[in-house]
Amino acid sequence: MAVASPTRRLCLLLIDDNPADCMLAQEAFEQYSEQVSIKVIQDGQSALDWLHEQATKQSLPDVVLLDVNMPGMNGFEVLSALRNEAIFRHLPVVMLTTSTRQEDVDQAYELIASSYLVKQPDFRGFLDQIDSLVRFWSHARFRQQPKPMN
């Protein structure tokens, strides 16, 4: 189930207010510890502050995993803030949530989410989602550039 190791680790930022969901995600990502590093922040404003700090270091994550339902700044407000700043506009954001509401899916894509994943209720299903996510984003972020034609 391991992903071929790229030259560097895939850096993920998980923004989710639920401690149990954060712990579950960290446990799921443990099997990819050689390929993935994950930073967990439990509220939207703190995540935006951290991203601004990382931007000054030119060290943005490869992908943001963002919950929809959070107190204070919800996931849509965070996504909107990211899309309104040029430095974050192209940062991939995957909505990772329990919400199956069509209105939430529509709003996420209107705000230019990269994808919308509904968390599987069972751990095995969630592990399969994480495996697919790591495989996709490792390929998308680290694919080899074509060699120039001579």
Side-chain angles (χ1 to χ4, degrees):
M1 211 189 270
V3 177
S5 182
T7 56
R8 70 174 182 85
R9 292 173 17 171
L10 183 69
C11 179
L12 303 175
L13 170 61
L14 172 64
I15 308 169
D16 192 326
D17 68 305
N18 185 313
D21 285 350
C22 291
M23 197 162 64
L24 183 70
Q26 287 176 305
E27 187 177 327
F29 280 107
E30 276 181 19
Q31 66 183 320
Y32 300 99
S33 61
E34 291 183 19
Q35 297 99 355
V36 175
S37 65
I38 185 163
K39 169 80 173 168
V40 177
I41 300 179
Q42 293 185 300
D43 73 87
Q45 187 58 58
S46 295
L48 290 173
D49 293 344
W50 183 83
L51 284 165
H52 280 104
E53 181 183 316
Q54 295 308 302
T56 64
K57 300 176 187 176
Q58 297 184 349
S59 183
L60 290 174
D62 295 302
V63 181
V64 173
L65 306 175
L66 179 58
D67 189 20
V68 169
N69 301 308
M70 296 187 297
M73 266 188 118
N74 69 33
F76 299 125
E77 292 167 324
V78 173
L79 181 57
S80 179
L82 291 172
R83 294 305 182 235
N84 285 326
E85 291 193 54
I87 194 158
F88 303 129
R89 195 164 294 138
H90 298 289
L91 184 61
V93 177
V94 175
M95 305 307 286
L96 182 63
T97 183
T98 57
S99 176
T100 59
R101 294 181 28 176
Q102 188 60 48
E103 299 86 9
D104 288 346
V105 175
D106 293 344
Q107 186 173 0
Y109 286 122
E110 285 172 17
L111 293 170
I112 315 173
S114 302
S115 63
Y116 191 100
L117 288 177
V118 176
K119 295 175 191 171
Q120 292 296 310
D122 63 290
F123 190 64
R124 180 72 245 158
F126 185 63
L127 286 175
D128 289 343
Q129 281 184 306
I130 296 304
D131 184 63
S132 295
L133 185 138
V134 169
R135 288 177 182 276
F136 176 82
W137 287 106
S138 291
H139 175 76
R141 300 301 278 174
F142 301 128
R143 68 176 177 257
Q144 297 276 332
Q145 296 298 317
K147 294 181 181 176
M149 301 284 292
N150 289 339

